[in-house]
Amino acid sequence: MIIMHDIIKTYITGQVTFQALRGINLHIKKGEFVAIVGPSGSGKSTLMNIAGCLDIPTRGSYLLDGKQVSAFNSNQLAEIRNKKVGFVFQAFNLLPYATAYENVEVPLLFAGVNRRKRKERITRLLGQVGLAEKAANKPTEMSGGEMQRVAIARALANEPDIILADEPTGNLDSKSGQQIVNIFHELWKMGKTVLIITHDSNIAGRVERIIQLKDGQIENSHSPAAV
Amino acid sequence: MQLIILYNTFIRDFRKQKKRITLTLIALAWGTISIMLLLAFGEGLHQQLSINQKGTGENIGILWSGQTTKAYRGMGKGRRIWLYKEDPEYLAAQIPEIETIGGEYSRWGVQIRYQDKVLNEHVTGIPPCYREIRNHIPQEGGRMINRIDMDEKRRVVFLGSNLKKRMFEDEDPIGKQILLNEIPFTVIGIMIEKIQMGNYEGMDEDVAAIPATTFKAIFGDLYLDYIVYRAYHPDQMAEIEKKIYRALGVKYNFDPTDDRAISIWDIASSSREFNNMMLGIKIFLGIIGFLTLLVAGVGVANIMYVSIKERTREIGIKMAVGARKSLILYQFLVEALIITFSGGFLGMSLSYILTEGFKRLPLENQVLDFMGRPTVSLEIGLVVITILGILGLVSGIFPAMRAASTNPVESLRYE
Ligand SMILES: Nc1ncnc2c1ncn2[C@@H]1O[C@H](COP(=O)(O)OP(=O)(O)OP(=O)(O)O)[C@@H](O)[C@H]1O
Ligand SMILES: [Mg+2]
């Protein structure tokens, strides 16, 4: 499903070049539940952004469902972000002027889903994350946990196979965090491939596999039982 | 498909961002209004001043006599020079550049009586050519003094519009008898209302004009008070002036360089000065207009700029969940165009309403006479809207283009 070979990402800031990823080889099977851990600055987000087609690698090959991502044009990348992967950010990244309902609607609009189907889908998704009553609330009128659940509903809007989450509980208290983790767990049980970056040992304990990053390289890849 | 997506996204976001859009709209409308009004009043003022300027006449010179200040051919200085009724013809014969010429008698404090109303007024004795050279044009239903009046020394009087109001109020005066120093005169015409910027002896609207021949017969004046002439072309004025000094210098024995022996007021040259002044005013208004435009432009650009951070993040979010680059750009473009056009249209309409409203204000006539009729110019409006629109577009579209062309991650990170 996700096959990365020798992925390198170099950032150039002024005169300084910095290698955030130095040769990542990664294979994630369909339906896997994986946690990515590692110290700050080890390249977790960089890796995740590349996996989600939000960013492109400097070198290396990335096969998504057997297709070479580097060969895609910008419209095809947009299509992948819209339908194939759902991305959940630590900072939620909701549109501040839109309600919960409207935020979930955004990817559906871009997919050209008609109004009736949109409504059906949004209502179901908000119910699924336990926010049926908050449909008309704007981000400023919601708690962090609620905002993150809206963001998850949005990530699920076009029923992607892959869910990518970059520290989804990083800005939340432990109770809200637990709720979010439960949702990801459920999604995995429904057959989705789920990748989560986390510092939280609670989450790491419930995944199938933990990938440990250090200095832009995979240091270790193992099942939680092995810890 | 992409069009439907654009439409849906656009409608939704437009409704959601009313505040920002309203602000931009107001800034645009405000900029348009201030420039439009400024230029509208400037244009009105210009038109009005031009009309006023022409009230006395065009290409004309006015000549009156004085005292010599130089000794000449054995005659001492301080000698009074007089103009006689033959002098206009004499000058016309000597100076081919003169198109029309006529002499005028003038007298203040003449008693004018109509029924029980008695006024002390300014009476002139004028030739028929004053109709052309001094714009003594009759209102409908009346006439100006003519050749026959002159030849027969008729007792007819042509009244200034304001004098008519004071004597007759709303009554129709044509054919009525009035008494000038107890001598009966028939009113034959009323001068059209005109505004004079300059005058040499009283305003035309307050004058009672009678044929020059009648004037001389009744009041017994020996000398003309003024000679008024018109040139074929304004460029000839200086030449004519020189020739007049020479011709009259010969006739009355004074030094042709003695500019106090006779005096000439060249209205054409003051109208050249007037045109220069008008040009100055126009340049001034243009500069102010440009500065206003700049301020409005900065306002529009600023609103666009302030929202860049928000909007860059917005673009990042949208692209992260699958918006195409083209969708983002078209949305911004359509939005900017709609805002620009509605803002500009709003500004134009308001300026139009304001200027029309101003014209309908029951202002004292004299205020209006000097303010003129503000005129909104469509061309200027379009130029203003285009400039502001381009500014808004550039300041809004460039950041959007940059945001849409990079990776969503970078837009999301934008600070
Ligand atoms: N746009 C960028 N330009 C330059 N350097 C960058 C950029 N993005 C990331 N980096 C650098 O790349 C390295 C990896 O960053 P990354 O965000 O992937 O770390 P991380 O593992 O997600 O850390 P954290 O746990 O703090 O989120 C860091 O040293 C960071 O400074
Ligand atoms: Mg990170």
Side-chain angles (χ1 to χ4, degrees):
Chain A
M1 167 130 279
I2 290 178
I3 300 169
M4 291 189 180
H5 185 69
D6 246 348
I7 291 285
I8 288 174
K9 180 71 185 179
T10 312
Y11 289 116
I12 301 167
T13 327
Q15 303 285 331
V16 188
T17 60
F18 177 81
Q19 236 180 33
L21 296 178
R22 342 172 147 218
I24 298 281
N25 291 293
L26 183 67
H27 189 171
I28 291 167
K29 291 190 281 290
K30 189 171 161 55
E32 244 191 311
F33 193 7
V34 178
I36 297 174
V37 299
S40 183
S42 55
K44 305 183 295 291
S45 297
T46 308
L47 177 61
M48 193 68 116
N49 291 337
I50 289 172
C53 297
L54 295 179
D55 205 351
I56 42 171
T58 313
R59 267 195 285 133
S61 104
Y62 172 22
L63 289 172
L64 180 61
D65 275 349
K67 291 194 189 96
Q68 193 61 249
V69 169
S70 58
F72 290 148
N73 65 25
S74 86
N75 282 350
Q76 287 168 316
L77 288 175
E79 173 118 8
I80 291 175
R81 293 194 289 262
N82 188 231
K83 301 215 173 78
K84 198 153 194 64
V85 296
F87 213 103
V88 178
F89 303 88
Q90 179 174 356
F92 320 134
N93 282 337
L94 298 176
L95 295 176
Y97 53 78
T99 62
Y101 184 98
E102 289 159 342
N103 265 294
V104 179
E105 192 177 27
V106 177
L108 293 169
L109 280 175
F110 297 152
V113 178
N114 72 37
R115 182 196 285 272
R116 195 178 47 79
K117 273 205 185 134
R118 291 204 299 267
K119 185 166 183 194
E120 221 175 79
R121 196 85 65 84
I122 297 164
T123 314
R124 179 166 57 75
L125 285 167
L126 285 178
Q128 197 178 335
V129 295
L131 285 178
E133 282 97 69
K134 303 277 181 172
N137 286 34
K138 289 189 178 172
T140 46
E141 302 155 351
M142 288 188 278
S143 72
E146 287 166 343
M147 283 194 269
Q148 195 58 298
R149 281 184 279 156
V150 173
I152 294 174
R154 179 180 63 185
L156 296 173
N158 286 319
E159 298 174 335
D161 298 331
I162 305 170
I163 307 294
L164 304 175
D166 188 347
E167 296 193 50
T169 62
N171 285 358
L172 304 179
D173 60 85
S174 59
K175 187 165 159 281
S176 313
Q178 195 56 49
Q179 261 180 322
I180 299 294
V181 175
N182 289 342
I183 293 173
F184 282 116
H185 199 255
E186 233 146 75
L187 290 171
W188 167 59
K189 282 207 273 184
M190 285 163 61
K192 309 245 182 231
T193 311
V194 181
L195 238 81
I196 298 186
I197 297 178
T198 186
H199 288 296
D200 186 343
S201 52
N202 247 332
I203 303 181
R206 293 173 70 175
V207 299
E208 293 178 288
R209 181 152 67 109
I210 297 174
I211 293 171
Q212 210 155 7
L213 278 188
K214 201 180 172 212
D215 296 335
Q217 285 179 314
I218 295 180
E219 190 185 47
N220 205 330
S221 176
H222 53 80
S223 71
V227 180
Chain B
M1 190 63 184
Q2 289 304 314
L3 262 179
I4 298 171
I5 294 175
L6 174 64
Y7 176 79
N8 283 334
T9 320
F10 179 75
I11 294 292
R12 215 195 64 155
D13 289 1
F14 210 75
R15 270 202 225 119
K16 283 285 149 189
Q17 307 192 24
K18 282 194 203 102
K19 202 157 101 197
R20 189 178 53 76
I21 288 166
T22 314
L23 271 175
T24 321
L25 216 88
I26 290 173
L28 262 165
W30 179 249
T32 318
I33 289 178
S34 35
I35 300 166
M36 296 288 287
L37 284 189
L38 186 75
L39 296 179
F41 277 91
E43 181 60 24
L45 187 71
H46 176 224
Q47 284 178 3
Q48 195 59 48
L49 286 177
S50 307
I51 294 169
N52 294 355
Q53 167 68 14
K54 289 175 182 139
T56 305
E58 279 182 281
N59 292 349
I60 68 171
I62 293 153
L63 162 66
W64 64 97
S65 57
Q67 281 186 336
T68 56
T69 54
K70 292 178 182 172
Y72 187 66
R73 290 191 179 162
M75 283 184 272
K77 52 187 175 182
R79 188 164 46 94
R80 191 78 174 84
I81 301 291
W82 300 104
L83 296 170
Y84 291 87
K85 71 177 192 332
E86 297 78 18
D87 287 343
E89 272 163 47
Y90 167 73
L91 288 174
Q94 300 270 315
I95 306 167
E97 289 87 351
I98 290 177
E99 181 213 56
T100 317
I101 189 164
E104 170 183 340
Y105 298 99
S106 171
R107 180 168 290 232
W108 290 86
V110 176
Q111 192 196 70
I112 301 185
R113 195 140 69 89
Y114 175 65
Q115 293 171 352
D116 49 0
K117 198 171 272 178
V118 181
L119 301 168
N120 275 301
E121 295 301 326
H122 177 210
V123 175
T124 57
I126 57 168
C129 66
Y130 264 41
R131 181 193 172 107
E132 282 75 41
I133 58 179
R134 291 277 286 97
N135 286 330
H136 279 28
I137 298 165
Q139 293 179 6
E140 259 190 52
R143 66 175 181 85
M144 175 47 184
I145 293 161
N146 63 24
R147 187 70 13 226
I148 303 167
D149 296 329
M150 286 290 278
D151 292 347
E152 300 183 357
K153 297 180 193 162
R154 283 182 178 167
R155 291 189 182 152
V156 291
V157 62
F158 183 73
L159 297 177
S161 53
N162 193 39
L163 179 58
K164 178 256 160 186
K165 268 180 218 142
R166 289 189 285 124
M167 268 177 42
F168 292 95
E169 286 162 13
D170 291 333
E171 203 181 328
D172 180 8
I174 307 291
K176 300 266 159 60
Q177 295 269 316
I178 59 173
L179 300 173
L180 269 67
N181 283 357
E182 303 303 331
I183 302 163
F185 275 76
T186 307
V187 178
I188 53 166
I190 309 300
M191 203 185 304
I192 53 161
E193 288 188 29
K194 58 178 193 175
I195 302 120
Q196 279 173 284
M197 287 284 281
N199 67 78
Y200 53 96
E201 193 156 352
M203 301 297 275
D204 290 348
E205 60 179 12
D206 283 319
V207 85
I210 63 175
T213 49
T214 317
F215 190 103
K216 187 166 166 57
I218 287 178
F219 296 107
D221 284 25
L222 288 175
Y223 318 115
L224 282 176
D225 291 289
Y226 300 97
I227 292 173
V228 179
Y229 58 89
R230 182 161 73 179
Y232 285 100
H233 193 273
D235 295 346
Q236 300 168 325
M237 292 305 283
E239 180 66 20
I240 293 176
E241 202 173 312
K242 226 188 294 165
K243 288 186 174 173
I244 288 176
Y245 271 93
R246 215 178 298 143
L248 291 180
V250 169
K251 187 170 178 189
Y252 296 119
N253 261 318
F254 64 82
D255 186 338
T257 62
D258 185 352
D259 58 8
R260 291 293 182 81
I262 52 167
S263 301
I264 291 176
W265 178 31
D266 175 358
I267 293 192
S269 89
S270 66
S271 99
R272 277 192 296 280
E273 278 156 28
F274 169 79
N275 284 340
N276 287 342
M277 183 185 85
M278 259 345 285
L279 187 68
I281 290 180
K282 273 190 165 172
I283 291 173
F284 175 70
L285 284 178
I287 291 173
I288 293 195
F290 176 76
L291 291 179
T292 314
L293 190 65
L294 210 69
V295 170
V298 168
V300 172
N302 187 45
I303 291 173
M304 289 294 188
Y305 186 77
V306 163
S307 57
I308 285 181
K309 184 179 155 185
E310 258 172 65
R311 306 221 82 188
T312 304
R313 283 190 65 85
E314 181 189 332
I315 290 171
I317 293 172
K318 285 181 171 174
M319 292 192 60
V321 299
R324 289 184 177 192
K325 184 174 149 185
S326 54
L327 176 81
I328 305 267
L329 289 180
Y330 283 135
Q331 191 187 340
F332 267 73
L333 197 73
V334 172
E335 186 189 297
L337 285 178
I338 287 182
I339 292 177
T340 307
F341 276 108
S342 22
F345 182 75
L346 190 73
M348 291 252 276
S349 320
L350 284 178
S351 322
Y352 185 74
I353 291 170
L354 283 174
T355 47
E356 287 302 305
F358 177 82
K359 287 188 212 170
R360 279 173 183 67
L361 277 185
L363 280 182
E364 271 293 298
N365 230 350
Q366 269 161 346
V367 178
L368 263 189
D369 286 345
F370 274 89
M371 288 294 285
R373 308 253 154 205
T375 320
V376 174
S377 145
L378 186 71
E379 290 89 346
I380 292 176
L382 289 181
V383 170
V384 168
I385 292 176
T386 311
I387 293 178
L388 288 182
I390 288 175
L391 264 170
L393 215 61
V394 166
S395 53
I397 286 287
F398 271 151
M401 264 165 68
R402 210 189 48 197
S405 304
T406 53
N407 297 324
V409 207
E410 266 168 61
S411 300
L412 285 173
R413 213 196 297 265
Y414 186 86
E415 286 302 332

